[in-house]
Amino acid sequence: MDLLFVADPIESFKIHKDSTFAMMREAARRGHRLHVCEPRDLVWKQGARVVARAARTLVLTGDAERWYEVVATQELALADASAVLMRKDPPFDAEFIYATHLLQQAEREGARVFNSPQALRDHPEKLAILAFAQFIGPTLVTRDAAAIRAFHAEQRDIILKPLDGMGGMGIFRVGPDGLNLGSIIETLNQHGATTVMVQRYLPEIVKGDKRILLIGGVPVPFCLARIPQGSEIRGNLAAGGKGVAQPLSARDREIAEAIGPVLAARGLLLVGLDVIGDCVTEINVTSPTCFQEITDQTGFDVAARFIDALEAALA
């Protein structure tokens, strides 16, 4: 099969932990051909099909320093690929949305795109939890500074976050003393111009912010608990959290088995649930990670499970 990965620049990949690289490595091991482009390479012109203007065909070398060779660079119609894998990291900004529209046009031309472009638009990673309110903790989404203050007065210990961040960017905790609440609201809310998510602080974060992977609606049997270090409140690996793989708990399975089939039916082949304690805090659909950390620590080959699911979806 010819697999086209739409991703961030491959020169920026940290291959010791990158999940897109793990997918590529497993696909190459099975004999599939690898092509890669960036969202900016996607082009549509009236009378023609959506193309990746400068798709690079890769061969993996097995060398940690120089891990790929470009054997060809060409214009590739997305509908001519066996599958297109959208793996662009957030932010979930206007350019990301425009890329999903081009990918959806490619679908109309016959391309098979994973995750579904429409599903990506319909499930912004912070707001997707609203559809599964039975599994989340006390949460507020608003542009109203007074509503945020009232939520703090009610919950006493809260987390505030922007809707378009990743890797723990822009997350603040405000405790019962309310210290710096006004300044944080001004920073995130921009005097009412920007919507903010506010959630009750979950003390179980000390045991880790668990990433649960769903592939084809089925949970991987191990999650990665991302444990905050030092004085940090964030468990995100990008913020210095320590990743510890562990079997899913009974509650983890309950959540995953309820949400997984619903999201799979909406066109989401790969999903990353973030769970703290018993509560879902985010649903990641753009480029869920943690493949390599789980595999390295448990021996469960997440990339192989993913390529199995991709092949089955294309059969």
Side-chain angles (χ1 to χ4, degrees), residues 247-259:
L248 299 187
S249 69
R251 174 62 170 175
D252 295 338
R253 284 196 171 275
E254 177 189 2
I255 292 170
E257 290 172 359
I259 294 177

Side-chain angles (χ1 to χ4, degrees), residues 219-266:
V220 169
F222 299 92
C223 65
L224 191 75
R226 298 161 296 172
I227 302 171
Q229 300 296 293
S231 60
E232 265 290 353
I233 60 166
R234 301 171 298 173
N236 309 75
L237 300 183
K242 178 182 178 182
V244 178
Q246 58 191 41
L248 299 187
S249 69
R251 174 62 170 175
D252 295 338
R253 284 196 171 275
E254 177 189 2
I255 292 170
E257 290 172 359
I259 294 177
V262 175
L263 296 182
R266 295 175 183 175

Side-chain angles (χ1 to χ4, degrees), residues 2-230:
D2 286 282
L3 304 182
L4 173 64
F5 290 82
V6 182
D8 290 296
I10 56 173
E11 296 81 5
S12 68
F13 282 20
K14 296 178 174 62
I15 65 169
H16 66 283
K17 65 177 183 178
D18 193 286
S19 294
T20 303
F21 169 75
M23 295 175 184
M24 289 179 169
R25 182 175 57 192
E26 177 60 21
R29 189 188 67 79
R30 300 185 187 200
H32 301 313
R33 289 174 296 277
L34 307 178
H35 312 275
V36 64
C37 73
E38 298 175 41
R40 65 182 180 180
D41 296 320
L42 300 177
V43 176
W44 179 83
K45 183 178 180 181
Q46 186 178 17
R49 297 182 294 174
V50 177
V51 299
R53 183 178 50 195
R56 291 184 282 177
T57 303
L58 305 182
V59 171
L60 304 190
T61 66
D63 184 335
E65 293 297 321
R66 191 169 180 270
W67 60 272
Y68 66 91
E69 291 182 3
V70 177
V71 296
T73 301
Q74 73 281 337
E75 185 175 277
L76 176 64
L78 273 61
D80 288 341
S82 306
V84 178
L85 293 96
M86 178 52 160
R87 290 289 299 172
K88 173 70 179 71
D89 284 343
F92 190 86
D93 57 11
E95 287 300 328
F96 188 98
I97 293 172
Y98 302 153
T100 67
H101 283 288
L102 288 171
L103 291 171
Q104 191 167 18
Q105 174 60 26
E107 281 188 324
R108 288 189 282 266
E109 298 162 2
R112 301 291 303 277
V113 184
F114 304 90
N115 284 327
S116 153
Q118 180 172 336
L120 289 174
R121 288 198 304 275
D122 289 347
H123 296 82
E125 306 200 327
K126 303 293 190 296
L127 295 177
I129 64 172
L130 274 59
F132 303 98
Q134 69 271 35
F135 296 117
I136 70 176
T139 298
L140 170 73
V141 180
T142 185
R143 291 169 61 173
D144 185 346
I148 297 174
R149 291 183 181 279
F151 188 83
H152 174 261
E154 175 186 325
Q155 300 296 333
R156 305 291 293 160
D157 199 349
I158 62 173
I159 294 290
L160 302 93
K161 61 177 76 170
L163 295 182
D164 61 353
M166 66 169 289
M169 181 186 71
I171 292 178
F172 295 90
R173 177 186 178 186
V174 177
D177 60 8
L179 188 65
N180 283 331
L181 178 59
S183 177
I184 292 168
I185 292 174
E186 290 171 8
T187 298
L188 294 179
N189 180 236
Q190 297 291 306
H191 302 287
T194 304
T195 303
V196 180
M197 174 170 279
V198 194
Q199 296 172 306
R200 183 174 68 191
Y201 173 73
L202 300 173
E204 295 91 343
I205 183 62
V206 298
K207 297 180 181 179
D209 180 355
K210 293 176 285 188
R211 166 59 55 83
I212 300 171
L213 293 171
L214 306 174
I215 299 176
V218 178
V220 169
F222 299 92
C223 65
L224 191 75
R226 298 161 296 172
I227 302 171
Q229 300 296 293

